[in-house]
Each structure stands twice: as structure tokens, then as C-alpha cells.
Amino acid sequence: MTITEIFILAILQGLTEFLPVSSSAHLILPSAVLGWKDQGLALDVALHVGTLLAVVLYFRKDVANMAVACVGSIKGDNTSFDGKLAWWILFATIPLGIFGLLGKDFIEAHLRTALVIAATTLIFGFLLGFADIKAGKRKATEHIDFEKLGFKGAMLIGLAQAVALIPGTSRSGITMTIGLMLGLSRENAARFSFLLSIPAIAMAGSYLTLKLITETGPVDWNAIGIGSVLAFFSAYVCIHYFLILLEKVGMMPFVIYRLVLGVALLWFVLG
């Protein structure tokens, strides 16, 4: 790939991985619309590494607290909520792993198309808008916290995350949608989605890294280096300003963007 293509795809990944607009859709679109070649395993690995480092660094205090509490709960000497939350997140990631292993070949063969992306962009955009309006009507005292979400609620969000394997759905979008529907505030729905993304991205990145290692061809270290750095910085900035924007205007700008994008894709495909 050219430096320009690597630059654009890395910035797209960093900006869209954590926004409710579907990073997979934006990475597929350049090849579907502009005729670009597939970015390849090397860049896939780089983008996952960059975004993973960004979310872990941004939520480093939460991650550290959960890690310590999780280890403590195994030893039986720590019963803090951080330990419970860590286990909820780990268990909620299991559906993604199962569906990913069972359905990846079918998804790759049949669902990575502009038409599918257009449909899922519109459908899940409407659902996000509905959930955001519902959340906006609730009083601040009516929002639930992570403890009241419970293991059942965490697993429901985890199941929703597995649906996001379908291109155009948006992992962050659908997990925030379910979080809002379950009663979380916008901020907490986004925070839970970001924390849930850590094992999800790590799992996907590990799988892609294993595939890259077992390949016989040369490794594009240029793509890995540039892609990782650009994805890291764009993802970190995105998380920071998304949380600020969320408090002021909610999800609606992203809902509108999804609807416009979905209609434009339908026009492109069917026109």
C-alpha cells in the first residue's frame, strides 16, 4: 500500500473504532468505493495494536484497578466491585469470540459488501437514535450505575457486541445502544463500551498477529510502524473529545451521520 493509503486508513481506524459509526465499514469502503486493494494483515495488526494501546492508556487507572482486583478475587482476598466488573467484562467478551470463530468465514464471504454496510448503518443508526432519545428523557437520578447493571446486563451488552461482527453495525455503537436501553447514562454507556473493547481488540489483534506470523510472505514493517502510531494518536484524541462531546450533545450527531452515510451508500449501490 502507498503511504497515503496507510495514513488515511490508520486515521480512519483510530477515529472510528470508538465512535458509534463502525470502523469496519469505513475500512471496507475505500476498497468498495475507490477500488483500493485490501489493506492486508500487517496493517490490520498495526491498527489493532495502536487502538488497543490508546484505550488502555486512556483508561489506565480503571484497567489497573480491575487487574489488581481480579487477581485478588482469584486469591480470595479481594471482593471489591472492580474485581466483579473485570470478570463481567471478560465473560461478556466470550460471545464475540465464539461467534467470531464460527462465523468469520461466512462474514468474510458474504457480508463485507457496500449493500450490507448501508443496511446495517441505517438500521443500527435508527436504534442508536431511539436509545439516545430515551436516555435523554430520563432524569439524572433515574440512570443506573455499573453495579445495578449487573452480570446479566453486562452479558446482554456482550451479546450485542457479537452482532457487531456484521460490517456496518459498529461495535461501540451497538454496545452503547444496549447500555442506554438498560438505563446507563450516556457517559457510563460509553465508558463500559470502551472498557469492553479492550479484551475484544486484544483478542482480534492476537488472532491477526498469529496469522501474520504463520504467513510465508514478507512483513510490511513500514505499514506496521506508521499504522500503529497514527492509529494510537487518532484513537486517543477521539476517545477524549468524544466523551466531552457526549456530555454536551449526546449521540444525535453520530445518528445523523450514520443515516446520511447509509442513504449515500444505498444510492451508490442501487443508483
Side-chain angles (χ1 to χ4, degrees), residues 56-74:
V56 169
L57 183 61
Y58 194 89
F59 292 100
R60 56 192 177 277
K61 291 183 180 178
D62 299 89
V63 172
N65 290 338
M66 287 191 294
V68 171
C70 187
V71 172
S73 67
I74 295 174

Side-chain angles (χ1 to χ4, degrees), residues 32-101:
V33 177
L34 302 176
W36 288 7
K37 294 180 180 179
D38 185 84
Q39 60 261 32
L41 273 177
L43 186 58
D44 275 341
V45 170
L47 300 184
H48 280 83
V49 169
T51 52
L52 178 61
L53 290 176
V55 68
V56 169
L57 183 61
Y58 194 89
F59 292 100
R60 56 192 177 277
K61 291 183 180 178
D62 299 89
V63 172
N65 290 338
M66 287 191 294
V68 171
C70 187
V71 172
S73 67
I74 295 174
K75 295 179 179 179
D77 58 3
N78 192 317
T79 57
S80 71
F81 177 69
D82 284 326
K84 289 183 180 180
L85 182 60
W87 285 112
W88 292 357
I89 288 173
L90 290 175
F91 276 108
T93 307
I94 293 175
L96 177 66
I98 294 174
F99 283 102
L101 288 174

Side-chain angles (χ1 to χ4, degrees), residues 97-115:
I98 294 174
F99 283 102
L101 288 174
L102 296 178
K104 62 182 178 62
D105 292 335
F106 179 83
I107 293 170
E108 289 289 336
H110 303 287
L111 300 183
R112 292 175 68 89
T113 66
L115 181 59

Side-chain angles (χ1 to χ4, degrees), residues 15 33 47 60 69 72 124 126-127 144 148 151 153 166 189 205 229 251:
L15 292 177
V33 177
L47 300 184
R60 56 192 177 277
F124 292 104
F126 276 116
L127 287 176
I144 65 173
K148 291 182 179 179
F151 177 75
I166 303 172
V229 172
M251 300 284 188

Side-chain angles (χ1 to χ4, degrees), residues 198-228:
I198 294 174
I201 298 173
M203 185 168 57
S206 298
Y207 171 75
L208 292 172
T209 301
L210 182 61
K211 286 184 66 177
L212 182 64
I213 293 172
T214 55
E215 278 197 342
T216 56
V219 176
D220 190 349
W221 294 107
N222 190 49
I224 289 179
I226 296 174
S228 295

